[in-house]
PDB file of all heavy atoms in Angstrom:
ATOM      1  N   MET A  46     -31.223  62.352   2.162  1.00  0.00           N
ATOM      2  CA  MET A  46     -32.459  62.740   2.823  1.00  0.00           C
ATOM      3  C   MET A  46     -33.114  63.951   2.157  1.00  0.00           C
ATOM      4  O   MET A  46     -34.034  64.551   2.717  1.00  0.00           O
ATOM      5  CB  MET A  46     -32.175  63.051   4.302  1.00  0.00           C
ATOM      6  CG  MET A  46     -31.600  61.887   5.082  1.00  0.00           C
ATOM      7  SD  MET A  46     -32.795  60.542   5.286  1.00  0.00           S
ATOM      8  CE  MET A  46     -31.737  59.233   5.928  1.00  0.00           C
ATOM      9  N   ALA A  47     -32.629  64.322   0.970  1.00  0.00           N
ATOM     10  CA  ALA A  47     -33.085  65.545   0.302  1.00  0.00           C
ATOM     11  C   ALA A  47     -34.217  65.282  -0.679  1.00  0.00           C
ATOM     12  O   ALA A  47     -34.407  64.153  -1.155  1.00  0.00           O
ATOM     13  CB  ALA A  47     -31.909  66.189  -0.432  1.00  0.00           C
ATOM     14  N   PRO A 195     -33.377  68.387  10.098  1.00  0.00           N
ATOM     15  CA  PRO A 195     -34.233  68.681   8.947  1.00  0.00           C
ATOM     16  C   PRO A 195     -35.040  67.468   8.477  1.00  0.00           C
ATOM     17  O   PRO A 195     -36.148  67.624   7.952  1.00  0.00           O
ATOM     18  CB  PRO A 195     -33.237  69.127   7.868  1.00  0.00           C
ATOM     19  CG  PRO A 195     -32.064  69.639   8.636  1.00  0.00           C
ATOM     20  CD  PRO A 195     -31.972  68.728   9.820  1.00  0.00           C
ATOM     21  N   VAL A 196     -34.488  66.277   8.664  1.00  0.00           N
ATOM     22  CA  VAL A 196     -35.212  65.051   8.319  1.00  0.00           C
ATOM     23  C   VAL A 196     -36.419  64.900   9.224  1.00  0.00           C
ATOM     24  O   VAL A 196     -37.537  64.566   8.773  1.00  0.00           O
ATOM     25  CB  VAL A 196     -34.280  63.825   8.445  1.00  0.00           C
ATOM     26  CG1 VAL A 196     -35.006  62.556   8.016  1.00  0.00           C
ATOM     27  CG2 VAL A 196     -33.000  64.026   7.652  1.00  0.00           C
ATOM     28  N   LEU A 198     -37.971  67.328  10.794  1.00  0.00           N
ATOM     29  CA  LEU A 198     -38.933  68.381  10.458  1.00  0.00           C
ATOM     30  C   LEU A 198     -39.766  67.999   9.237  1.00  0.00           C
ATOM     31  O   LEU A 198     -40.984  68.234   9.196  1.00  0.00           O
ATOM     32  CB  LEU A 198     -38.200  69.697  10.211  1.00  0.00           C
ATOM     33  CG  LEU A 198     -37.624  70.393  11.443  1.00  0.00           C
ATOM     34  CD1 LEU A 198     -36.761  71.574  11.024  1.00  0.00           C
ATOM     35  CD2 LEU A 198     -38.744  70.856  12.375  1.00  0.00           C
ATOM     36  N   HIS A 199     -39.096  67.428   8.241  1.00  0.00           N
ATOM     37  CA  HIS A 199     -39.819  66.993   7.035  1.00  0.00           C
ATOM     38  C   HIS A 199     -40.841  65.916   7.386  1.00  0.00           C
ATOM     39  O   HIS A 199     -41.995  65.957   6.924  1.00  0.00           O
ATOM     40  CB  HIS A 199     -38.817  66.474   6.009  1.00  0.00           C
ATOM     41  CG  HIS A 199     -39.438  66.062   4.715  1.00  0.00           C
ATOM     42  ND1 HIS A 199     -39.807  66.962   3.739  1.00  0.00           N
ATOM     43  CD2 HIS A 199     -39.765  64.837   4.223  1.00  0.00           C
ATOM     44  CE1 HIS A 199     -40.325  66.326   2.716  1.00  0.00           C
ATOM     45  NE2 HIS A 199     -40.315  65.027   2.979  1.00  0.00           N
ATOM     46  N   ARG A 202     -43.757  67.419   9.293  1.00  0.00           N
ATOM     47  CA  ARG A 202     -44.662  68.138   8.402  1.00  0.00           C
ATOM     48  C   ARG A 202     -45.596  67.162   7.675  1.00  0.00           C
ATOM     49  O   ARG A 202     -46.775  67.445   7.480  1.00  0.00           O
ATOM     50  CB  ARG A 202     -43.855  68.966   7.400  1.00  0.00           C
ATOM     51  CG  ARG A 202     -44.717  69.880   6.521  1.00  0.00           C
ATOM     52  CD  ARG A 202     -43.855  70.849   5.733  1.00  0.00           C
ATOM     53  NE  ARG A 202     -43.299  71.885   6.602  1.00  0.00           N
ATOM     54  CZ  ARG A 202     -42.040  71.930   7.011  1.00  0.00           C
ATOM     55  NH1 ARG A 202     -41.175  70.996   6.619  1.00  0.00           N
ATOM     56  NH2 ARG A 202     -41.622  72.898   7.810  1.00  0.00           N
ATOM     57  N   PHE A 238     -27.299  72.478   1.598  1.00  0.00           N
ATOM     58  CA  PHE A 238     -28.428  71.663   1.152  1.00  0.00           C
ATOM     59  C   PHE A 238     -29.773  72.278   1.541  1.00  0.00           C
ATOM     60  O   PHE A 238     -30.805  71.611   1.466  1.00  0.00           O
ATOM     61  CB  PHE A 238     -28.316  70.245   1.713  1.00  0.00           C
ATOM     62  CG  PHE A 238     -27.298  69.389   0.988  1.00  0.00           C
ATOM     63  CD1 PHE A 238     -25.951  69.461   1.299  1.00  0.00           C
ATOM     64  CD2 PHE A 238     -27.696  68.520  -0.023  1.00  0.00           C
ATOM     65  CE1 PHE A 238     -25.018  68.685   0.633  1.00  0.00           C
ATOM     66  CE2 PHE A 238     -26.764  67.741  -0.697  1.00  0.00           C
ATOM     67  CZ  PHE A 238     -25.424  67.821  -0.366  1.00  0.00           C
ATOM     68  N   GLY A 239     -29.773  73.536   1.964  1.00  0.00           N
ATOM     69  CA  GLY A 239     -31.022  74.260   2.160  1.00  0.00           C
ATOM     70  C   GLY A 239     -31.552  74.333   3.571  1.00  0.00           C
ATOM     71  O   GLY A 239     -32.621  74.916   3.796  1.00  0.00           O
ATOM     72  N   ALA A 240     -30.848  73.780   4.554  1.00  0.00           N
ATOM     73  CA  ALA A 240     -31.333  73.827   5.931  1.00  0.00           C
ATOM     74  C   ALA A 240     -30.956  75.165   6.572  1.00  0.00           C
ATOM     75  O   ALA A 240     -29.992  75.823   6.175  1.00  0.00           O
ATOM     76  CB  ALA A 240     -30.735  72.689   6.750  1.00  0.00           C
ATOM     77  N   SER A 262     -34.272  74.842  11.539  1.00  0.00           N
ATOM     78  CA  SER A 262     -35.599  75.093  10.992  1.00  0.00           C
ATOM     79  C   SER A 262     -35.557  74.950   9.480  1.00  0.00           C
ATOM     80  O   SER A 262     -34.516  74.640   8.896  1.00  0.00           O
ATOM     81  CB  SER A 262     -36.080  76.497  11.396  1.00  0.00           C
ATOM     82  OG  SER A 262     -35.169  77.483  10.930  1.00  0.00           O
ATOM     83  N   GLY A 263     -36.692  75.180   8.835  1.00  0.00           N
ATOM     84  CA  GLY A 263     -36.728  75.131   7.374  1.00  0.00           C
ATOM     85  C   GLY A 263     -37.588  74.007   6.840  1.00  0.00           C
ATOM     86  O   GLY A 263     -38.271  73.297   7.579  1.00  0.00           O
ATOM     87  N   GLU A 264     -37.516  73.823   5.532  1.00  0.00           N
ATOM     88  CA  GLU A 264     -38.369  72.869   4.819  1.00  0.00           C
ATOM     89  C   GLU A 264     -37.725  71.499   4.640  1.00  0.00           C
ATOM     90  O   GLU A 264     -38.284  70.638   3.999  1.00  0.00           O
ATOM     91  CB  GLU A 264     -38.704  73.434   3.427  1.00  0.00           C
ATOM     92  CG  GLU A 264     -39.414  74.772   3.439  1.00  0.00           C
ATOM     93  CD  GLU A 264     -40.823  74.650   4.001  1.00  0.00           C
ATOM     94  OE1 GLU A 264     -41.488  73.632   3.703  1.00  0.00           O
ATOM     95  OE2 GLU A 264     -41.238  75.558   4.737  1.00  0.00           O
ATOM     96  N   GLY A 265     -36.527  71.312   5.179  1.00  0.00           N
ATOM     97  CA  GLY A 265     -35.801  70.069   4.917  1.00  0.00           C
ATOM     98  C   GLY A 265     -34.724  70.298   3.872  1.00  0.00           C
ATOM     99  O   GLY A 265     -34.458  71.425   3.443  1.00  0.00           O
ATOM    100  N   TYR A 266     -34.073  69.228   3.455  1.00  0.00           N
ATOM    101  CA  TYR A 266     -32.970  69.327   2.495  1.00  0.00           C
ATOM    102  C   TYR A 266     -33.476  69.346   1.056  1.00  0.00           C
ATOM    103  O   TYR A 266     -34.488  68.722   0.730  1.00  0.00           O
ATOM    104  CB  TYR A 266     -32.025  68.143   2.657  1.00  0.00           C
ATOM    105  CG  TYR A 266     -31.284  68.112   3.976  1.00  0.00           C
ATOM    106  CD1 TYR A 266     -31.365  66.998   4.816  1.00  0.00           C
ATOM    107  CD2 TYR A 266     -30.484  69.171   4.377  1.00  0.00           C
ATOM    108  CE1 TYR A 266     -30.676  66.949   6.016  1.00  0.00           C
ATOM    109  CE2 TYR A 266     -29.796  69.138   5.586  1.00  0.00           C
ATOM    110  CZ  TYR A 266     -29.895  68.018   6.393  1.00  0.00           C
ATOM    111  OH  TYR A 266     -29.206  67.985   7.573  1.00  0.00           O
ATOM    112  N   GLN A 267     -32.714  70.046   0.202  1.00  0.00           N
ATOM    113  CA  GLN A 267     -32.968  70.084  -1.231  1.00  0.00           C
ATOM    114  C   GLN A 267     -31.734  69.578  -1.968  1.00  0.00           C
ATOM    115  O   GLN A 267     -30.600  69.859  -1.570  1.00  0.00           O
ATOM    116  CB  GLN A 267     -33.290  71.503  -1.693  1.00  0.00           C
ATOM    117  CG  GLN A 267     -34.506  72.108  -1.010  1.00  0.00           C
ATOM    118  CD  GLN A 267     -35.789  71.333  -1.293  1.00  0.00           C
ATOM    119  OE1 GLN A 267     -36.030  70.926  -2.434  1.00  0.00           O
ATOM    120  NE2 GLN A 267     -36.596  71.124  -0.260  1.00  0.00           N
TER     121      GLN A 267
END
Side-chain angles (χ1 to χ4, degrees):
M46 300 292 169
V196 183
L198 288 172
H199 183 79
R202 186 170 287 105
F238 283 83
S262 58
E264 301 292 322
Y266 294 124
Q267 301 298 317

